[in-house]
């Protein structure tokens, strides 16, 4: 997409703009980060990015049981994003310092072999080490070329928020019983009591593995939506101030919003894939209703197709086309371009659902008023091959289609806004169980895509771009993706291969070690012979201490009940140990035809059925049986962690009576899918291998 970069070089460059919270009275103290970059030649481009964080997101917790090691999506993932952003900011600041000082010396580095440097004197080393002891000795620099961090406290009342209701509760809902947002709030409020009673807080109509709630979840979701809308206010107002030629040190035309839960799988009233409210769609609606934005470009780079966002965009475009044909609109209706780069083999298409696959493959442009482009990820041989063949030859079509949308719909830059559904789960560092179809992208993709998306926004939307975090379930994928993406937003280098050492394996390992250290401890031993080239680690730790607010959020108690283990388990985790009252044969795999035999102490077997999945029956001392999945990556890699509607484990425990019902995937063939067992006799489980291959078949 060099043509986009060249286009932007001929456009007006924004100067010295920074960001603030839309409501300063609700804002925490902010951190100033110096950056400076060059687009081409000697032309200096001021970075115009604001990072929005929301600590309320940490209140969304899994409370069905105490052990959360197998929960894929949890709020702690935001710490990895904060770590990646911290490293990028430290690197950008260091690069700006060296650029301003005009230093010609290059430091010796394992990342750049063959480059020599002057050894720092003992006095220089001591001065540097002493400076680390007092953060106040590192003052905020001038407001020129600055990146601003906003710890947002914004919160949207979802049940009455205009943007949220435009997306999730349109006018066709006439009663509170049909109001999805009000219903979602009640699910969260009642979640603890339902779990304590042995039921699930998620209705049976939705995946039990993909979704979970606690009483504080609605506050977390409200905070996420409030922060996205605050970011929209920031970038829209930044452009207005820039156009009026009024200098402001408190607004930026670009924003990165790090919030969870994600949103792009959620439709109008259909939560799915960890998503309860569609963050980006609500942000687009807010921009339309509050700022008269009528053309929105949504580019989705999550590994998984944003089926919820596409359905919402389709509905909105359909309504706009209808009103235009009827001539009944007083102002231009909202039109949305949705473009997605994803793996069509993964969730929500992995089960082969024809409708899902068709939706994830649609390409429509001005037909029936729709503007949708879906591009499927493909394997690549090398990083160079990815960029030269796939990115330039196939993936960059997203930008071309977006430009065509702008031209065909009569877009006005002041009324156009670009959103990025920014998922990092397609990253090369994502867990193999998540991207097991070999549809990945190198980390450098995120830098290049951010550069080109920023160029697109400058060309068609006055620079207005809001990037909202979506998926990403490996800490390393989130760290590296955040580093590269922020480098692309803030840096503007025209070569994607620059700065790739920032997210090298060696530096990611250092970053992981640093962020796991107890707070208040130095990341490294500083002394006369300390390696100055690693000062970015110390600065990263300082910034990370400011960014990470996870420890300040009270953690709700997890409930002492054992509901069925959710489907969103980490395949790479070791198998959970069996309770003491359960016998098992090590090394067996029920997927290969072994049988589960339930027996009491007298050896009687109330049921004797073969199982065809890796479901394990666990007997607790309270006579409650749970059904869960265990297995290594190889045995269980055919399932997507977003869940599988065809094999959800809908087990229910009747604590009072001792009767247990086990879902059909665990024990097929029994009436009603379960067996009643005496409540006073401890259960024993044995796994018996079949005598022959033919005997392993399910009757």
């Amino acid at each position: 997409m060099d043509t986009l970069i060249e286009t932007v070089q001929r456009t007006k460059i924004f100067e010295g703009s920074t960001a603030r919270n839309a409501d300063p009275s609700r804002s925490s103290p902010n951190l100033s980060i110096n950056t400076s970059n060059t687009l081409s030649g000697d032309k200096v481009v001021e970075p115009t990015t604001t990072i929005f964080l929301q600590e309320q997101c940490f209140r969304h917790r899994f409370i069905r049981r105490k052990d959360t090691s197998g929960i894929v999506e949890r709020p702690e993932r935001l710490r990895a994003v904060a770590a990646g952003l911290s490293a990028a900011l430290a690197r950008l600041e260091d690069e700006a310092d060296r650029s301003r000082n005009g230093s010609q010396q290059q430091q010796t580095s394992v990342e750049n072999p063959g480059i020599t440097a002057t050894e720092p004197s003992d006095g220089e080393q001591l001065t540097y080490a002493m400076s680390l002891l007092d953060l106040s000795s590192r003052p905020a620099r001038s407001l020129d070329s600055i990146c601003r961090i906003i710890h947002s406290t914004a919160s949207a009342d979802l049940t009455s928020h205009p943007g949220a209701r435009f997306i999730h509760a349109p006018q066709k809902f006439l009663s509170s019983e049909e109001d999805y947002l009000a219903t979602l709030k009640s699910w969260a409020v009642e979640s603890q009591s339902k779990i304590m009673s042995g039921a699930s807080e998620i209705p049976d109509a939705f995946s039990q593995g993909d979704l979970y709630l606690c009483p504080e979840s609605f506050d977390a979701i409200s905070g996420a939506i409030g922060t996205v809308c605050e970011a929209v206010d920031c970038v829209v107002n930044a452009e207005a101030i820039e156009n009026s030629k009024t200098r402001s040190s408190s607004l930026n035309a670009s924003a990165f919003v790090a919030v969870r839960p994600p949103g792009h799988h959620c439709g109008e009233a259909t939560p799915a894939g960890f998503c309860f409210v569609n963050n980006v769609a609500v942000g687009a609606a807010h921009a339309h209703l509050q700022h008269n934005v009528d053309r929105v470009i949504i580019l989705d780079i999550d590994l998984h197709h944003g089926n919820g966002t596409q359905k919402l965009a389709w509905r909105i475009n359909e309504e706009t086309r209808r009103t235009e044909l009827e001539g009944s609109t007083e102002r231009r209706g909202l039109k949305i371009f949705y473009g997605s780069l994803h793996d069509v083999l993964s969730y929500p298409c992995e089960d082969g659902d024809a409708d899902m696959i068709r939706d994830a493959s649609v390409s429509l442009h001005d037909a029936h008023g729709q503007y949708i482009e879906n591009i499927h990820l493909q394997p690549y041989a090398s990083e160079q091959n990815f960029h030269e063949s796939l990115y330039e030859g196939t993936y960059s079509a997203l930008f071309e289609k977006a430009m065509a949308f702008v031209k065909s719909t009569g877009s006005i830059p002041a009324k156009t806004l670009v959103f990025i559904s920014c998922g990092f789960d397609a990253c090369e560092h994502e867990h193999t169980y998540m991207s097991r179809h070999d549809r990945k992208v190198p980390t450098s993709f995120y830098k290049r895509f951010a550069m080109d998306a920023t160029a697109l926004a400058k060309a068609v939307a006055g620079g207005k771009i809001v990037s909202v975090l979506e998926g990403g379930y490996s800490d390393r994928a989130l760290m590296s993706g955040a580093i590269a993406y922020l480098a692309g937003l803030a840096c503007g280098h025209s070569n994607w291969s620059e700065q790739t050492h920032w997210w090298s394996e060696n530096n990611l390992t250092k970053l992981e070690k640093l962020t796991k250290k107890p707070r208040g401890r130095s990341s490294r031993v500083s002394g006369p012979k300390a390696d100055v080239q690693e000062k970015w680690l110390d600065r990263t730790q300082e910034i990370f201490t400011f960014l990470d607010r996870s420890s300040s959020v009270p953690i709700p108690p997890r409930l002492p009940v054992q509901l069925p283990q959710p489907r969103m388990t980490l395949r790479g985790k070791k198998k959970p140990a069996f309770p003491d009252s359960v016998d098992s044969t090590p090394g067996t795999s029920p997927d290969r035809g072994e049988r589960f035999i339930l027996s009491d102490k007298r050896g009687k077997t109330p049921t004797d059925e073969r199982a065809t999945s890796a479901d394990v029956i666990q007997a607790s001392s309270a006579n409650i049986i749970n059904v869960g999945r265990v297995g290594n990556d190889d045995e269980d890699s055919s399932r997507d962690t977003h869940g599988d509607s065809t094999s959800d484990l809908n087990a229910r425990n009747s604590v009072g009576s001792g009767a247990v019902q086990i879902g059909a995937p665990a024990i097929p063939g029994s009436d009603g899918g379960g067996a009643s067992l005496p409540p006073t006799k401890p259960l024993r489980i044995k796994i018996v291998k079949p005598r022959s291959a033919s005997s392993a078949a399910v009757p």
Side-chain angles (χ1 to χ4, degrees):
M1 291 303 295
D2 292 338
T3 55
L4 267 181
I5 297 295
E6 293 168 359
T7 299
V8 174
Q9 290 178 2
R10 296 191 294 271
T11 64
K12 180 178 180 181
I13 303 299
F14 293 102
E15 299 179 353
S17 117
T18 57
R20 64 171 173 83
N21 192 322
D23 184 355
S25 65
R26 297 181 292 134
S27 176
S28 303
N30 300 315
L31 181 68
S32 297
I33 303 295
N34 284 322
T35 59
S36 178
N37 55 70
T38 302
L39 186 61
S40 68
D42 297 327
K43 184 184 289 289
V44 175
V45 181
E46 304 287 356
T48 57
T49 300
T50 307
I51 297 172
F52 286 85
L53 307 168
Q54 171 59 263
E55 65 183 48
Q56 288 297 315
C57 293
F58 289 99
R59 303 186 70 189
H60 176 58
R61 297 272 180 167
F62 180 83
I63 62 171
R64 293 178 193 169
R65 65 177 185 278
K66 294 181 180 180
D67 179 19
T68 62
S69 61
I71 305 304
V72 173
E73 161 51 24
R74 52 186 188 270
E76 290 84 356
R77 300 291 184 203
L78 291 172
R79 297 189 73 248
V81 177
L85 296 174
S86 300
L89 292 171
R91 293 285 198 172
L92 290 166
E93 187 177 54
D94 180 65
E95 187 177 79
D97 286 344
R98 288 187 282 108
S99 176
R100 273 193 302 270
N101 294 335
S103 174
Q104 300 301 315
Q105 295 179 337
Q106 298 291 334
Q107 299 171 341
T108 303
S109 173
V110 295
E111 306 153 357
N112 298 288
I115 300 177
T116 60
T118 302
E119 179 73 16
S121 66
D122 289 350
E124 290 172 334
Q125 295 283 9
L126 180 60
T127 300
Y128 173 68
M130 292 296 292
S131 71
L132 297 178
L133 300 178
D134 183 9
L135 293 181
S136 63
S137 68
R138 303 175 68 82
R141 318 288 171 79
S142 67
L143 292 177
D144 293 334
S145 61
I146 197 172
C147 182
R148 197 74 176 271
I149 311 297
I150 302 295
H151 281 286
S152 175
T153 56
S155 181
D157 182 357
L158 296 184
T159 57
S160 60
H161 186 274
R165 297 198 66 80
F166 183 91
I167 295 298
H168 293 289
Q171 292 299 316
K172 69 177 183 179
F173 289 130
L174 302 178
S175 65
S176 59
E177 290 78 8
E178 297 173 309
D179 190 329
Y180 169 68
L181 295 172
T183 301
L184 175 61
K185 183 176 183 179
S186 68
W187 291 350
V189 170
E190 299 168 4
S191 60
Q192 183 166 327
S193 60
K194 285 188 175 181
I195 293 173
M196 288 296 292
S197 68
S200 172
E201 79 280 20
I202 302 298
D204 291 339
F206 303 106
S207 174
Q208 302 298 304
D210 293 359
L211 305 169
Y212 62 86
L213 290 167
C214 71
E216 295 79 16
S217 291
F218 199 74
D219 293 334
I221 298 169
S222 299
I225 291 296
T227 305
V228 170
C229 293
E230 182 180 15
V232 169
D233 295 339
C234 173
V235 300
V236 173
N237 291 332
E239 190 209 16
I241 289 177
E242 178 65 23
N243 289 339
S244 68
K245 302 189 182 302
T246 301
R247 289 298 301 272
S248 171
S249 61
S250 58
L251 292 172
N252 281 13
S254 171
F256 180 84
V257 187
V259 293
R260 286 279 174 93
H264 72 150
H265 291 306
C266 185
E268 185 176 292
T270 52
F274 314 131
C275 307
F276 290 93
V277 174
N278 198 302
N279 302 323
V280 167
V282 173
H286 175 76
H288 176 60
L289 298 174
Q290 300 299 319
H291 301 288
N292 204 28
V293 169
D294 53 34
R295 299 294 182 267
V296 169
I297 296 171
I298 300 175
L299 302 179
D300 191 334
I301 55 173
D302 192 275
L303 174 69
H304 307 96
H305 180 237
N307 54 315
T309 305
Q310 180 171 306
K311 287 182 179 179
L312 291 168
W314 188 289
R315 188 200 81 193
I316 292 169
N317 289 337
E318 186 177 49
E319 178 64 17
T320 298
R321 181 171 183 267
R322 182 186 64 79
T323 56
E324 286 179 347
L325 292 175
E326 294 175 353
S328 58
T329 179
E330 296 180 359
R331 66 173 185 174
R332 296 209 312 176
L334 176 61
K335 293 185 179 181
I336 297 177
F337 169 80
Y338 176 75
S340 177
L341 176 63
H342 58 268
D343 176 17
V344 75
L345 302 178
S346 291
Y347 178 91
C349 306
E350 190 168 43
D351 292 334
D353 184 282
D355 291 335
M356 289 292 184
I357 296 172
R358 181 176 58 249
D359 290 348
S361 306
V362 168
S363 178
L364 280 177
H365 300 281
D366 204 15
H368 305 284
Q370 300 299 334
Y371 306 89
I372 295 172
E373 180 69 14
N374 284 289
I375 299 177
H376 301 161
L377 286 167
Q378 300 296 329
Y380 61 93
S382 66
E383 186 172 29
Q384 194 74 27
N385 167 257
F386 173 89
H387 285 280
E388 293 180 355
S389 178
L390 290 177
Y391 190 95
E392 295 178 4
T394 303
Y395 300 163
S396 60
L398 283 183
F399 297 106
E400 297 170 4
K401 297 298 185 181
M403 292 288 286
F405 163 78
V406 167
K407 294 178 181 179
S408 65
T409 60
S411 174
I412 302 171
K415 296 184 178 182
T416 303
L417 182 58
V418 177
F419 282 92
I420 308 297
S421 276
C422 190
F424 294 125
D425 44 1
C427 179
E428 61 188 313
H429 298 300
E430 184 55 85
H431 291 302
T432 55
Y433 67 77
M434 181 65 70
S435 56
R436 56 188 167 275
H437 301 294
D438 197 30
R439 267 55 175 178
K440 306 176 183 179
V441 298
T443 306
S444 56
F445 160 81
Y446 295 107
K447 179 189 174 185
R448 186 172 188 180
F449 188 90
M451 290 165 46
D452 288 341
T454 300
L456 173 70
K458 288 180 180 293
V460 305
K464 301 188 299 298
I465 180 172
V466 179
S467 304
V468 182
L469 181 66
E470 293 286 358
Y473 309 100
S474 155
D475 286 348
R476 177 163 287 200
L478 289 167
M479 284 182 182
S480 61
I483 295 173
Y485 194 80
L486 184 58
L489 286 179
C491 223
H493 290 280
S494 59
N495 190 342
W496 61 264
S497 63
E498 295 181 31
Q499 304 165 323
T500 55
H501 62 278
W502 289 7
W503 50 85
S504 67
E505 292 277 353
N506 184 41
N507 284 330
L508 290 176
T509 298
K510 294 175 182 177
L511 182 59
E512 289 168 341
K513 291 180 179 178
L514 179 146
T515 54
K516 291 179 181 178
K517 287 182 177 293
R519 296 188 181 190
R521 295 181 59 184
S522 176
S523 61
R524 297 181 298 108
V525 177
S526 298
K529 299 300 182 181
D531 192 355
V532 169
Q533 73 175 11
E534 298 284 55
K535 68 179 183 179
W536 70 272
L537 283 173
D538 296 293
R539 184 57 170 155
T540 295
Q541 188 175 49
E542 294 172 3
I543 300 172
F544 180 67
T545 300
F546 177 82
L547 263 60
D548 180 28
R549 299 289 181 87
S550 58
S551 62
S552 65
V553 179
I555 300 177
R558 295 186 173 89
L559 305 179
V561 296
Q562 293 288 325
L563 286 182
Q565 182 173 340
R567 290 297 309 278
M568 50 180 185
T569 56
L570 287 173
R571 309 301 192 204
K573 296 290 184 179
K574 61 183 181 181
K575 298 181 180 181
F578 285 96
D580 294 338
S581 60
V582 177
D583 296 333
S584 65
T585 303
T588 58
S589 170
D591 271 340
R592 295 169 184 158
E594 290 84 355
R595 294 179 295 165
F596 289 127
I597 299 181
L598 281 67
S599 64
D600 58 24
K601 285 186 175 181
R602 296 172 294 180
K604 295 183 178 181
T605 57
T607 62
D608 184 354
E609 298 288 350
R610 296 182 180 92
T612 58
S613 66
D615 298 323
V616 175
I617 306 168
Q618 299 176 334
S620 71
S621 58
N623 296 312
I624 300 174
I625 295 179
N626 298 319
V627 181
R629 296 184 62 84
V630 298
N632 57 34
D633 289 344
D634 295 334
E635 293 173 343
D636 209 21
S637 62
S638 63
R639 299 292 185 184
D640 195 300
T641 55
H642 276 72
D644 179 1
S645 60
T646 64
S647 59
D648 284 338
L649 306 179
N650 297 320
R652 292 292 180 268
N653 303 322
S654 179
V655 179
S657 65
V660 181
Q661 183 177 4
I662 302 174
I667 307 292
S670 59
D671 294 338
S676 297
L677 303 174
T680 59
K681 298 174 182 178
L683 298 174
R684 309 182 71 187
I685 298 176
K686 295 182 180 180
I687 302 177
V688 182
K689 288 188 175 182
R691 296 180 179 179
S692 64
S694 61
S695 65
V698 178

